mmCIF file of all heavy atoms in Angstrom:
data_model
loop_
_atom_site.group_PDB
_atom_site.id
_atom_site.type_symbol
_atom_site.label_atom_id
_atom_site.label_comp_id
_atom_site.label_asym_id
_atom_site.label_seq_id
_atom_site.Cartn_x
_atom_site.Cartn_y
_atom_site.Cartn_z
ATOM 1 N N CYS A 459 -16.530 4.109 6.192
ATOM 2 C CA CYS A 459 -17.477 3.594 5.228
ATOM 3 C C CYS A 459 -18.927 4.147 5.729
ATOM 4 O O CYS A 459 -19.259 3.925 6.929
ATOM 5 C CB CYS A 459 -17.547 2.094 5.263
ATOM 6 S SG CYS A 459 -18.883 1.278 4.479
ATOM 7 N N PHE A 460 -19.698 4.906 4.874
ATOM 8 C CA PHE A 460 -21.061 5.283 5.153
ATOM 9 C C PHE A 460 -22.090 4.222 5.174
ATOM 10 O O PHE A 460 -21.996 3.502 3.964
ATOM 11 C CB PHE A 460 -21.418 6.512 4.382
ATOM 12 C CG PHE A 460 -20.352 7.565 4.509
ATOM 13 C CD1 PHE A 460 -19.726 7.986 3.373
ATOM 14 C CD2 PHE A 460 -20.200 8.305 5.746
ATOM 15 C CE1 PHE A 460 -18.712 9.118 3.417
ATOM 16 C CE2 PHE A 460 -19.197 9.260 5.811
ATOM 17 C CZ PHE A 460 -18.517 9.614 4.734
ATOM 18 N N VAL A 461 -22.944 3.980 5.995
ATOM 19 C CA VAL A 461 -23.838 2.901 5.911
ATOM 20 C C VAL A 461 -25.286 3.558 5.863
ATOM 21 O O VAL A 461 -25.666 4.441 6.695
ATOM 22 C CB VAL A 461 -23.817 2.059 7.164
ATOM 23 C CG1 VAL A 461 -24.860 0.743 6.967
ATOM 24 C CG2 VAL A 461 -22.348 1.385 7.187
ATOM 25 N N TYR A 462 -26.155 3.147 4.929
ATOM 26 C CA TYR A 462 -27.396 3.651 4.663
ATOM 27 C C TYR A 462 -28.516 2.606 4.638
ATOM 28 O O TYR A 462 -28.306 1.532 4.212
ATOM 29 C CB TYR A 462 -27.473 4.311 3.285
ATOM 30 C CG TYR A 462 -26.461 5.506 3.140
ATOM 31 C CD1 TYR A 462 -25.222 5.251 2.620
ATOM 32 C CD2 TYR A 462 -26.693 6.729 3.468
ATOM 33 C CE1 TYR A 462 -24.349 6.317 2.468
ATOM 34 C CE2 TYR A 462 -25.834 7.675 3.401
ATOM 35 C CZ TYR A 462 -24.627 7.571 2.939
ATOM 36 O OH TYR A 462 -23.615 8.505 2.816
ATOM 37 N N LYS A 463 -29.631 2.973 5.145
ATOM 38 C CA LYS A 463 -30.883 2.279 5.008
ATOM 39 C C LYS A 463 -31.343 2.636 3.559
ATOM 40 O O LYS A 463 -31.505 3.819 3.329
ATOM 41 C CB LYS A 463 -31.964 2.707 6.074
ATOM 42 C CG LYS A 463 -33.238 1.951 5.886
ATOM 43 C CD LYS A 463 -34.179 2.316 6.992
ATOM 44 C CE LYS A 463 -35.301 1.336 6.989
ATOM 45 N NZ LYS A 463 -36.441 1.720 7.128
ATOM 46 N N ILE A 464 -31.653 1.675 2.764
ATOM 47 C CA ILE A 464 -32.066 2.049 1.335
ATOM 48 C C ILE A 464 -33.497 1.767 1.123
ATOM 49 O O ILE A 464 -34.073 0.779 1.506
ATOM 50 C CB ILE A 464 -31.210 1.402 0.304
ATOM 51 C CG1 ILE A 464 -31.233 -0.123 0.418
ATOM 52 C CG2 ILE A 464 -29.773 1.826 0.412
ATOM 53 C CD1 ILE A 464 -30.432 -0.966 -0.618
ATOM 54 N N PRO A 465 -34.213 2.586 0.284
ATOM 55 C CA PRO A 465 -35.653 2.487 0.104
ATOM 56 C C PRO A 465 -35.730 1.364 -0.951
ATOM 57 O O PRO A 465 -34.819 0.909 -1.686
ATOM 58 C CB PRO A 465 -35.975 3.878 -0.456
ATOM 59 C CG PRO A 465 -34.757 4.393 -1.154
ATOM 60 C CD PRO A 465 -33.589 3.899 -0.191
ATOM 61 N N HIS A 473 -30.509 0.486 -8.300
ATOM 62 C CA HIS A 473 -30.598 1.490 -7.085
ATOM 63 C C HIS A 473 -29.914 2.831 -7.502
ATOM 64 O O HIS A 473 -28.840 2.889 -8.243
ATOM 65 C CB HIS A 473 -29.829 0.889 -5.922
ATOM 66 C CG HIS A 473 -30.731 -0.278 -5.309
ATOM 67 N ND1 HIS A 473 -31.743 -0.020 -4.289
ATOM 68 C CD2 HIS A 473 -30.659 -1.523 -5.555
ATOM 69 C CE1 HIS A 473 -32.277 -1.187 -4.010
ATOM 70 N NE2 HIS A 473 -31.635 -2.178 -4.743
ATOM 71 N N ARG A 474 -30.459 3.982 -6.916
ATOM 72 C CA ARG A 474 -29.839 5.254 -6.989
ATOM 73 C C ARG A 474 -29.319 5.786 -5.617
ATOM 74 O O ARG A 474 -30.221 5.906 -4.799
ATOM 75 C CB ARG A 474 -30.786 6.325 -7.609
ATOM 76 C CG ARG A 474 -31.274 5.884 -8.991
ATOM 77 C CD ARG A 474 -32.277 6.969 -9.460
ATOM 78 N NE ARG A 474 -32.360 7.109 -10.897
ATOM 79 C CZ ARG A 474 -31.410 7.681 -11.681
ATOM 80 N NH1 ARG A 474 -30.410 8.140 -11.012
ATOM 81 N NH2 ARG A 474 -31.502 7.689 -12.909
ATOM 82 N N ALA A 475 -28.087 6.182 -5.609
ATOM 83 C CA ALA A 475 -27.641 6.671 -4.291
ATOM 84 C C ALA A 475 -28.371 7.970 -3.894
ATOM 85 O O ALA A 475 -28.603 8.289 -2.676
ATOM 86 C CB ALA A 475 -26.196 7.039 -4.365
ATOM 87 N N TRP A 478 -31.008 7.837 -1.297
ATOM 88 C CA TRP A 478 -30.694 7.359 0.157
ATOM 89 C C TRP A 478 -30.539 8.488 1.191
ATOM 90 O O TRP A 478 -30.086 8.081 2.318
ATOM 91 C CB TRP A 478 -29.319 6.614 -0.016
ATOM 92 C CG TRP A 478 -29.302 5.425 -0.851
ATOM 93 C CD1 TRP A 478 -30.455 4.860 -1.561
ATOM 94 C CD2 TRP A 478 -28.188 4.656 -0.997
ATOM 95 N NE1 TRP A 478 -29.999 3.853 -2.211
ATOM 96 C CE2 TRP A 478 -28.597 3.575 -2.053
ATOM 97 C CE3 TRP A 478 -26.829 4.605 -0.643
ATOM 98 C CZ2 TRP A 478 -27.827 2.550 -2.441
ATOM 99 C CZ3 TRP A 478 -26.058 3.656 -1.088
ATOM 100 C CH2 TRP A 478 -26.505 2.721 -1.909
ATOM 101 N N LEU A 480 -28.185 10.931 1.448
ATOM 102 C CA LEU A 480 -26.833 10.743 1.566
ATOM 103 C C LEU A 480 -26.147 11.581 2.700
ATOM 104 O O LEU A 480 -25.138 11.160 3.273
ATOM 105 C CB LEU A 480 -25.919 11.048 0.361
ATOM 106 C CG LEU A 480 -26.326 10.099 -0.966
ATOM 107 C CD1 LEU A 480 -25.552 10.545 -2.075
ATOM 108 C CD2 LEU A 480 -25.997 8.567 -0.500
ATOM 109 N N PRO A 483 -26.294 9.194 6.892
ATOM 110 C CA PRO A 483 -26.060 7.714 6.950
ATOM 111 C C PRO A 483 -26.527 7.336 8.230
ATOM 112 O O PRO A 483 -26.717 8.103 9.322
ATOM 113 C CB PRO A 483 -24.596 7.570 6.775
ATOM 114 C CG PRO A 483 -24.013 8.952 7.141
ATOM 115 C CD PRO A 483 -25.010 9.930 6.876
ATOM 116 N N ILE A 484 -26.962 5.823 8.416
ATOM 117 C CA ILE A 484 -27.259 5.373 9.689
ATOM 118 C C ILE A 484 -26.070 5.568 10.600
ATOM 119 O O ILE A 484 -26.205 5.988 11.751
ATOM 120 C CB ILE A 484 -27.615 3.753 9.605
ATOM 121 C CG1 ILE A 484 -28.589 3.562 8.569
ATOM 122 C CG2 ILE A 484 -27.888 3.275 10.905
ATOM 123 C CD1 ILE A 484 -28.859 2.064 8.315
ATOM 124 N N PHE A 485 -24.837 5.329 10.154
ATOM 125 C CA PHE A 485 -23.616 5.531 10.903
ATOM 126 C C PHE A 485 -22.482 5.523 9.903
ATOM 127 O O PHE A 485 -22.505 5.088 8.763
ATOM 128 C CB PHE A 485 -23.483 4.557 12.070
ATOM 129 C CG PHE A 485 -23.215 3.106 11.545
ATOM 130 C CD1 PHE A 485 -21.898 2.652 11.342
ATOM 131 C CD2 PHE A 485 -24.242 2.232 11.461
ATOM 132 C CE1 PHE A 485 -21.602 1.368 10.850
ATOM 133 C CE2 PHE A 485 -24.036 0.896 11.019
ATOM 134 C CZ PHE A 485 -22.786 0.502 10.740
ATOM 135 N N LEU A 489 -15.028 -0.849 7.163
ATOM 136 C CA LEU A 489 -15.321 -2.065 6.257
ATOM 137 C C LEU A 489 -14.055 -2.912 6.111
ATOM 138 O O LEU A 489 -13.040 -2.347 5.794
ATOM 139 C CB LEU A 489 -15.819 -1.631 4.795
ATOM 140 C CG LEU A 489 -16.177 -2.557 3.776
ATOM 141 C CD1 LEU A 489 -17.359 -2.251 3.055
ATOM 142 C CD2 LEU A 489 -14.993 -2.880 2.908
ATOM 143 N N ILE A 502 -19.121 -5.121 7.778
ATOM 144 C CA ILE A 502 -19.118 -3.846 8.134
ATOM 145 C C ILE A 502 -19.299 -3.622 9.670
ATOM 146 O O ILE A 502 -19.997 -4.451 10.409
ATOM 147 C CB ILE A 502 -20.446 -3.135 7.562
ATOM 148 C CG1 ILE A 502 -20.383 -3.092 6.049
ATOM 149 C CG2 ILE A 502 -20.657 -1.702 8.072
ATOM 150 C CD1 ILE A 502 -21.635 -2.683 5.452
ATOM 151 N N PHE A 522 -21.496 -5.060 12.651
ATOM 152 C CA PHE A 522 -22.779 -4.561 12.311
ATOM 153 C C PHE A 522 -23.620 -5.659 11.339
ATOM 154 O O PHE A 522 -24.669 -6.052 11.679
ATOM 155 C CB PHE A 522 -22.834 -3.196 11.675
ATOM 156 C CG PHE A 522 -24.179 -2.771 11.183
ATOM 157 C CD1 PHE A 522 -25.062 -2.381 12.135
ATOM 158 C CD2 PHE A 522 -24.472 -2.653 9.814
ATOM 159 C CE1 PHE A 522 -26.379 -1.995 11.641
ATOM 160 C CE2 PHE A 522 -25.803 -2.257 9.402
ATOM 161 C CZ PHE A 522 -26.683 -1.945 10.365
ATOM 162 N N CYS A 523 -22.906 -5.962 10.447
ATOM 163 C CA CYS A 523 -23.482 -7.007 9.441
ATOM 164 C C CYS A 523 -22.320 -7.647 8.554
ATOM 165 O O CYS A 523 -21.267 -6.986 8.558
ATOM 166 C CB CYS A 523 -24.550 -6.473 8.653
ATOM 167 S SG CYS A 523 -24.034 -4.971 7.567
ATOM 168 N N ASP A 540 -23.745 -4.829 -5.623
ATOM 169 C CA ASP A 540 -24.087 -4.187 -6.876
ATOM 170 C C ASP A 540 -23.754 -2.748 -6.760
ATOM 171 O O ASP A 540 -23.826 -2.132 -5.734
ATOM 172 C CB ASP A 540 -25.574 -4.355 -7.167
ATOM 173 C CG ASP A 540 -25.902 -4.159 -8.607
ATOM 174 O OD1 ASP A 540 -25.014 -3.875 -9.437
ATOM 175 O OD2 ASP A 540 -27.123 -4.097 -9.024
ATOM 176 N N VAL A 542 -24.424 1.155 -7.547
ATOM 177 C CA VAL A 542 -25.641 2.093 -7.813
ATOM 178 C C VAL A 542 -25.495 2.604 -9.235
ATOM 179 O O VAL A 542 -24.346 2.586 -9.801
ATOM 180 C CB VAL A 542 -25.806 3.219 -6.877
ATOM 181 C CG1 VAL A 542 -26.081 2.671 -5.417
ATOM 182 C CG2 VAL A 542 -24.611 4.149 -6.839
ATOM 183 N N ARG A 547 -19.171 5.692 -6.158
ATOM 184 C CA ARG A 547 -18.745 5.478 -4.826
ATOM 185 C C ARG A 547 -19.726 4.777 -3.779
ATOM 186 O O ARG A 547 -19.442 4.669 -2.692
ATOM 187 C CB ARG A 547 -18.423 6.938 -4.115
ATOM 188 C CG ARG A 547 -17.182 7.653 -4.852
ATOM 189 C CD ARG A 547 -16.967 9.004 -4.268
ATOM 190 N NE ARG A 547 -18.042 9.800 -4.453
ATOM 191 C CZ ARG A 547 -18.487 10.598 -3.302
ATOM 192 N NH1 ARG A 547 -17.973 10.601 -2.101
ATOM 193 N NH2 ARG A 547 -19.562 11.485 -3.725
ATOM 194 N N TYR A 548 -20.844 4.391 -4.400
ATOM 195 C CA TYR A 548 -21.960 3.820 -3.542
ATOM 196 C C TYR A 548 -22.298 2.425 -4.163
ATOM 197 O O TYR A 548 -22.350 2.120 -5.381
ATOM 198 C CB TYR A 548 -23.085 4.711 -3.557
ATOM 199 C CG TYR A 548 -22.795 5.945 -2.753
ATOM 200 C CD1 TYR A 548 -22.391 7.089 -3.567
ATOM 201 C CD2 TYR A 548 -22.977 6.156 -1.381
ATOM 202 C CE1 TYR A 548 -22.014 8.285 -2.895
ATOM 203 C CE2 TYR A 548 -22.651 7.213 -0.756
ATOM 204 C CZ TYR A 548 -22.192 8.355 -1.584
ATOM 205 O OH TYR A 548 -21.761 9.636 -0.851
ATOM 206 N N PHE A 549 -22.531 1.521 -3.138
ATOM 207 C CA PHE A 549 -22.900 0.129 -3.496
ATOM 208 C C PHE A 549 -24.023 -0.404 -2.590
ATOM 209 O O PHE A 549 -24.319 0.096 -1.574
ATOM 210 C CB PHE A 549 -21.712 -0.721 -3.305
ATOM 211 C CG PHE A 549 -20.485 -0.415 -4.086
ATOM 212 C CD1 PHE A 549 -19.647 0.535 -3.444
ATOM 213 C CD2 PHE A 549 -20.164 -0.904 -5.270
ATOM 214 C CE1 PHE A 549 -18.506 1.026 -4.243
ATOM 215 C CE2 PHE A 549 -19.107 -0.588 -5.973
ATOM 216 C CZ PHE A 549 -18.239 0.245 -5.432
ATOM 217 N N VAL A 550 -24.727 -1.398 -3.164
ATOM 218 C CA VAL A 550 -25.758 -2.105 -2.313
ATOM 219 C C VAL A 550 -25.334 -3.495 -1.967
ATOM 220 O O VAL A 550 -24.761 -4.288 -2.859
ATOM 221 C CB VAL A 550 -27.095 -2.281 -3.214
ATOM 222 C CG1 VAL A 550 -28.148 -2.987 -2.477
ATOM 223 C CG2 VAL A 550 -27.573 -0.861 -3.640
ATOM 224 N N LEU A 551 -25.401 -3.936 -0.676
ATOM 225 C CA LEU A 551 -24.935 -5.119 -0.276
ATOM 226 C C LEU A 551 -26.079 -5.961 0.316
ATOM 227 O O LEU A 551 -26.909 -5.393 0.907
ATOM 228 C CB LEU A 551 -23.886 -5.138 0.892
ATOM 229 C CG LEU A 551 -22.498 -4.367 0.649
ATOM 230 C CD1 LEU A 551 -21.865 -4.485 1.986
ATOM 231 C CD2 LEU A 551 -21.818 -5.242 -0.421
ATOM 232 N N ARG A 552 -26.241 -7.247 -0.046
ATOM 233 C CA ARG A 552 -27.141 -8.234 0.641
ATOM 234 C C ARG A 552 -26.403 -8.760 1.859
ATOM 235 O O ARG A 552 -25.419 -9.431 1.716
ATOM 236 C CB ARG A 552 -27.441 -9.331 -0.333
ATOM 237 C CG ARG A 552 -28.527 -10.255 0.365
ATOM 238 C CD ARG A 552 -28.939 -11.267 -0.667
ATOM 239 N NE ARG A 552 -29.417 -10.836 -1.901
ATOM 240 C CZ ARG A 552 -30.659 -10.369 -2.093
ATOM 241 N NH1 ARG A 552 -31.572 -10.565 -1.150
ATOM 242 N NH2 ARG A 552 -31.098 -9.904 -3.279
ATOM 243 N N VAL A 553 -26.907 -8.270 3.011
ATOM 244 C CA VAL A 553 -26.141 -8.581 4.266
ATOM 245 C C VAL A 553 -27.058 -9.488 5.238
ATOM 246 O O VAL A 553 -28.292 -9.460 5.004
ATOM 247 C CB VAL A 553 -25.701 -7.325 5.018
ATOM 248 C CG1 VAL A 553 -24.782 -6.523 4.129
ATOM 249 C CG2 VAL A 553 -26.919 -6.493 5.392
ATOM 250 N N THR A 562 -31.104 -8.601 4.562
ATOM 251 C CA THR A 562 -31.604 -7.438 4.066
ATOM 252 C C THR A 562 -30.629 -6.702 3.123
ATOM 253 O O THR A 562 -29.453 -7.015 2.956
ATOM 254 C CB THR A 562 -31.918 -6.480 5.208
ATOM 255 O OG1 THR A 562 -32.673 -5.364 4.753
ATOM 256 C CG2 THR A 562 -30.728 -5.999 5.911
ATOM 257 N N LEU A 563 -30.978 -5.636 2.464
ATOM 258 C CA LEU A 563 -30.084 -4.853 1.736
ATOM 259 C C LEU A 563 -29.705 -3.542 2.357
ATOM 260 O O LEU A 563 -30.578 -2.859 3.067
ATOM 261 C CB LEU A 563 -30.657 -4.340 0.326
ATOM 262 C CG LEU A 563 -31.198 -5.452 -0.627
ATOM 263 C CD1 LEU A 563 -31.792 -4.900 -1.832
ATOM 264 C CD2 LEU A 563 -30.004 -6.259 -1.060
ATOM 265 N N VAL A 564 -28.396 -3.216 2.370
ATOM 266 C CA VAL A 564 -27.879 -1.939 2.919
ATOM 267 C C VAL A 564 -27.210 -1.296 1.859
ATOM 268 O O VAL A 564 -26.577 -1.945 1.066
ATOM 269 C CB VAL A 564 -27.093 -2.119 4.222
ATOM 270 C CG1 VAL A 564 -27.873 -2.777 5.416
ATOM 271 C CG2 VAL A 564 -25.739 -2.828 3.974
ATOM 272 N N GLY A 565 -27.117 0.172 2.017
ATOM 273 C CA GLY A 565 -26.259 0.892 1.087
ATOM 274 C C GLY A 565 -24.993 1.156 1.805
ATOM 275 O O GLY A 565 -24.921 1.387 2.940
ATOM 276 N N ILE A 566 -23.882 1.178 1.007
ATOM 277 C CA ILE A 566 -22.528 1.692 1.516
ATOM 278 C C ILE A 566 -22.007 2.750 0.710
ATOM 279 O O ILE A 566 -22.241 2.650 -0.566
ATOM 280 C CB ILE A 566 -21.627 0.454 1.883
ATOM 281 C CG1 ILE A 566 -21.202 -0.216 0.560
ATOM 282 C CG2 ILE A 566 -22.124 -0.439 2.919
ATOM 283 C CD1 ILE A 566 -19.974 -1.177 0.780
ATOM 284 N N GLY A 567 -21.277 3.622 1.110
ATOM 285 C CA GLY A 567 -20.599 4.573 0.435
ATOM 286 C C GLY A 567 -19.309 4.905 1.018
ATOM 287 O O GLY A 567 -19.012 4.803 2.153
ATOM 288 N N PHE A 568 -18.457 5.558 0.147
ATOM 289 C CA PHE A 568 -17.173 5.969 0.556
ATOM 290 C C PHE A 568 -16.979 7.413 0.212
ATOM 291 O O PHE A 568 -17.404 7.774 -0.897
ATOM 292 C CB PHE A 568 -16.133 5.124 -0.209
ATOM 293 C CG PHE A 568 -16.207 3.565 -0.028
ATOM 294 C CD1 PHE A 568 -16.822 2.772 -1.101
ATOM 295 C CD2 PHE A 568 -16.039 3.138 1.197
ATOM 296 C CE1 PHE A 568 -16.999 1.565 -0.964
ATOM 297 C CE2 PHE A 568 -16.258 1.678 1.417
ATOM 298 C CZ PHE A 568 -16.669 0.845 0.330
#
Side-chain angles (χ1 to χ4, degrees):
C459 173
F460 305 115
V461 180
Y462 299 93
K463 181 176 189 219
I464 58 175
H473 288 274
R474 296 180 156 284
W478 297 358
L480 295 178
I484 303 171
F485 67 89
L489 178 142
I502 298 172
F522 174 71
C523 62
D540 197 5
V542 297
R547 294 182 299 132
Y548 296 89
F549 301 85
V550 176
L551 294 179
R552 179 177 305 276
V553 299
T562 189
L563 297 177
V564 297
I566 61 167
F568 307 106

